[in-house]
Amino acid sequence: MSKAVIAATGLYTPPYSLSNAELVETFNAYVERFNAANAEAIEAGEVQPLQPSSVEFIEKASGIKARFVVDKTGLVDPEVMRPVIPERPNDQISVLAEIAVEAAKAAIARWGKPVSEIGAVICAASNMQRAYPAMAIEVQQALGIDGFAFDMNVACSSATFGIKTAADFVTSGSAKAVLMVNPEICSGHLNFRDRDSHFIFGDVATAVIVERTEDATGGWDILGTRLKTQFSNNIRNNFGFLNRAAPEGMGQADKLFVQEGRKVFREVVPMVSEMIVEHANDLGIDPHGLKRLWLHQANINMNELIGKRVLGREPTRAENVIILDEYANTSSAGSIIAFHKANDDFAAGETGLICSFGAGYSAGTVFVRKR
Ligand code: CO8
């Protein structure tokens, strides 16, 4: 049976960076307007006044300094506070597929082989543009790829689940090579009027090409992949096609991202640290000897704690790659951005870990060795 290799990666970064200061200025302008408009009700104790956000809190609690977004105009307007993304006619590529195609083109260019070598496309992301036709089939069409394509969603773990699925297709002979894309427009599902979470997410797209070992000239041997899920209500997005059918929900605002951040932190850190160490041991890899961790970019404190538990020491920034300061949490794409940006210095035989964790809960580990 064939083995699988991560042959190339690609990254598409949206054109607009939005700093914490810009985000907080807009949020606080909204808070002032709300409190002024509701002054009498607040005075009478009928309405709770809104509290301002703060740049210092955001950076200390999350490590995030900025995020990239596909639209900035709506996000810095206190009257709008959501991205403004005009609907496109059906004969134009959708915005989610468009950014996925950009990331895919970058990966294909680095790979240096014709798209005719690719036999399947997987679009693995937290939020899809629509139910159907699949985003993956749109990407497949835009790039002129044969074979089959489909979407999958495992929230922040979509990319590692996608890599595992791609590796299984390659090793079982379903395809010679698989393109896996992660377009994440998280700003579309974030409530920018919620003080607890308005700073957490950013937009981006990543792409990974997985191919058979016998076809690969370089890249990364996939040493082992492991997936885990465990039901939790602590991170939810209740948006769905049945919202409009629920009598009690009619006329209510869109259902967006919500979470119990503290509980997520407490429960996910041990779950993921233990999973990584167990998987490493089962593969005969000493976790303390890993050269690099490319973790899901959730929160600086969470990532540092997982890094410390896995490596058995305080990791350096070179060992535990952090890109969330610049990109924020980009859901499934975070660990792939980290891998894409920080692997050039690996020598053949050196080993690292791509790892995701998030809503579900879900977690995935992919140990890779430079060829
Ligand atoms: N500015 C100032 N103060 C604030 C703010 C703010 N913006 N927000 C909260 N505070 C205050 C609170 O009121 C509280 O005050 P007090 O102590 O007086 O009650 C104090 O700050 C502390 O609040 P928290 O306890 O909430 O703060 P934490 O230190 O826990 O930090 C975090 C909050 C950053 C959210 C942290 O808990 C965290 O990062 N947890 C892990 C979250 C995580 O990683 N979630 C993963 C989600 S990813 C996923 O799978 C979803 C996929 C879908 C993504 C796409 C959709 C968009």
Side-chain angles (χ1 to χ4, degrees), residues 52-54 57-58 61-62 126-127 155-156 184 186-187 189-190 195-196 198-201 235 237 257 259 261-262 264-265 296 298-299 302 329 331 357-359:
S53 185
S54 107
F57 170 83
I58 294 173
S62 70
S126 290
N127 291 294
C156 289
E184 292 286 11
C186 297
S187 62
H189 264 272
L190 187 55
R195 179 174 175 251
D196 291 344
H198 74 117
F199 53 88
I200 294 181
F201 292 98
I235 316 171
N237 178 331
F257 169 86
Q259 73 164 351
R262 279 276 159 111
V264 174
F265 199 113
H296 167 53
N299 164 294
M302 205 168 170
N329 182 337
S331 195
F357 41 90

Side-chain angles (χ1 to χ4, degrees), residues 23-257:
L23 201 64
V24 166
E25 192 185 333
T26 313
F27 184 88
N28 290 351
Y30 157 70
V31 166
E32 266 180 38
R33 288 176 198 195
F34 177 91
N35 288 347
N38 293 282
E40 274 179 28
I42 291 172
E43 187 68 32
E46 292 157 8
V47 170
Q48 284 296 315
L50 297 181
Q51 300 300 317
S53 185
S54 107
V55 170
E56 295 70 33
F57 170 83
I58 294 173
E59 197 169 331
K60 186 160 176 289
S62 70
I64 296 164
K65 295 179 182 160
R67 70 284 298 138
F68 290 96
V69 288
V70 295
D71 170 72
K72 189 164 165 173
T73 53
L75 299 181
V76 293
D77 183 344
E79 295 294 336
V80 181
M81 295 181 79
R82 56 185 164 74
V84 177
I85 306 170
E87 202 173 321
R88 295 181 178 183
N90 289 352
D91 61 359
Q92 270 180 33
I93 189 165
S94 64
V95 64
L96 209 75
E98 186 174 75
I99 66 170
V101 165
E102 290 304 315
K105 282 181 179 166
I108 291 163
R110 284 162 76 111
W111 189 38
K113 294 188 185 176
V115 291
S116 53
E117 298 286 307
I118 298 172
V121 179
I122 300 169
C123 179
S126 290
N127 291 294
M128 297 299 167
Q129 180 104 26
R130 54 172 185 265
Y132 44 80
M135 310 311 306
I137 304 177
E138 208 181 351
V139 172
Q140 176 193 17
Q141 157 83 7
L143 292 169
I145 294 171
D146 272 342
F148 62 96
F150 63 92
D151 294 345
M152 55 183 276
N153 178 352
V154 201
C156 289
S157 286
S158 299
T160 53
F161 277 62
I163 290 173
K164 161 86 173 139
T165 307
D168 287 350
F169 281 150
V170 159
T171 55
S172 66
S174 302
K176 273 179 73 182
V178 177
L179 169 67
M180 197 273 304
V181 289
N182 321 105
E184 292 286 11
I185 304 187
C186 297
S187 62
H189 264 272
L190 187 55
N191 181 357
F192 286 91
R193 293 191 165 144
D194 174 30
R195 179 174 175 251
D196 291 344
S197 65
H198 74 117
F199 53 88
I200 294 181
F201 292 98
D203 304 338
V204 81
T206 49
V208 177
I209 296 171
V210 175
E211 71 177 332
R212 297 188 308 194
T213 308
E214 55 264 46
D215 300 326
T217 47
W220 300 76
D221 282 323
I222 297 175
L223 303 177
T225 51
R226 184 168 290 177
L227 312 178
K228 182 178 169 73
T229 49
Q230 184 182 297
F231 185 75
S232 167
N233 272 321
N234 291 332
I235 316 171
R236 282 191 80 108
N237 178 331
N238 281 331
F239 178 78
F241 77 103
L242 286 179
N243 290 157
R244 60 188 288 275
E248 63 278 31
M250 277 177 190
Q252 282 185 11
D254 283 348
K255 300 194 177 206
L256 301 169
F257 169 86

